Amino acid sequence: MARKNTLRYILLGLLSKKKMSGYDLRQSFQNEIGEFWQAQHSQIYPELAKMEASGLITHAIKISGEKLEKKIYQLTSEGTSVLQEWIHTATDELPVNRDEFVLKLFFISDIHDPALIEIVQQQYDLHEAKRHHLVARERALFPTQAAQEANYGHYLILAHAINRETEYTNWLQDVLGKITD
């Protein structure tokens, strides 16, 4: 089965919310989208060019200051159709989980390995910090039920991320309890 270009659909989805520059799109990966998907500058701009060549988006030039030109992208009707088709097509496969920490654990044979406590504690600290960040984002973005309902999909993925980090930190606490006894 051919891999679909998920970045294309993310960019279409972001542009369905509002017109954006390439910089604005990149910032979305630093903020909201970055909680569950990553993309680099070197991936975003070539994809925007391909999408424009395919007729999924267009751009207009906006002058900022005296000379600075910015391309402001927007969806075409074709782009909207492609996005809607993707949203309404079932996702019939599980995501690939690439967790380097878990891979390292796989290769540790001895419960008394001196690195074990250190790497588990480090992961616990990282995941606990991320969990606190996500809870703060949820409080800031969705303080009321009306706010949750206004952007329900975003609310759901944030709740999912909080649950994921909570479960991960609970598991790491259990592991730490076993290896420090």
Side-chain angles (χ1 to χ4, degrees):
M1 174 185 221
R3 280 187 69 194
K4 62 183 157 216
N5 184 349
T6 306
L7 178 58
R8 172 172 289 200
Y9 298 113
I10 294 169
L11 294 172
L12 288 171
L14 290 168
L15 291 171
S16 75
K17 295 182 179 288
K18 65 180 183 178
K19 298 175 186 178
M20 301 171 108
S21 68
Y23 176 81
D24 297 330
L25 290 162
R26 175 69 186 116
Q27 289 303 111
S28 294
F29 284 95
Q30 299 290 348
N31 299 314
E32 308 313 323
I33 301 295
E35 299 296 347
F36 58 93
W37 202 275
Q38 299 294 314
Q40 303 304 315
H41 176 278
S42 60
Q43 296 169 291
I44 294 169
Y45 287 93
E47 187 59 36
L48 289 170
K50 290 178 198 171
M51 292 166 60
E52 192 160 21
S54 299
L56 302 176
I57 62 173
T58 60
H59 79 271
I61 300 293
K62 178 181 177 186
I63 304 295
S64 223
E66 289 186 30
K67 296 183 191 177
L68 183 61
E69 289 186 0
K70 287 197 306 188
K71 289 183 179 180
I72 305 298
Y73 295 95
Q74 68 181 30
L75 284 182
T76 63
S77 57
E78 175 68 17
T80 301
S81 296
V82 167
L83 175 63
Q84 289 303 310
E85 181 181 338
W86 174 72
I87 289 171
H88 294 101
T89 300
T91 303
D92 59 359
E93 53 191 49
L94 292 172
V96 175
N97 184 4
R98 295 175 55 145
D99 187 331
E100 185 178 354
F101 166 69
V102 171
L103 186 60
K104 287 178 180 183
L105 286 182
F106 180 79
F107 292 110
I108 292 178
S109 302
D110 183 0
I111 193 171
H112 302 292
D113 186 310
L116 189 57
I117 292 173
E118 182 182 338
I119 67 170
V120 173
Q121 184 64 55
Q122 179 190 44
Q123 283 297 301
Y124 174 82
D125 294 343
L126 289 169
H127 283 278
E128 187 64 5
K130 181 151 189 171
R131 188 181 72 76
H132 282 287
H133 166 76
L134 293 169
V135 168
R137 294 287 299 153
E138 181 184 44
R139 286 186 189 130
L141 294 173
F142 304 108
T144 64
Q145 185 169 347
Q148 293 169 7
E149 292 173 0
N151 198 347
Y152 197 60
H154 187 173
Y155 170 73
L156 287 176
I157 60 109
L158 192 52
H160 169 65
I162 292 167
N163 287 339
R164 180 192 65 228
E165 294 304 322
T166 300
E167 288 299 317
Y168 210 111
T169 55
N170 289 342
W171 172 67
L172 288 167
Q173 277 182 317
D174 288 345
V175 171
L176 282 169
K178 290 174 184 169
I179 64 178
T180 56
D181 283 343

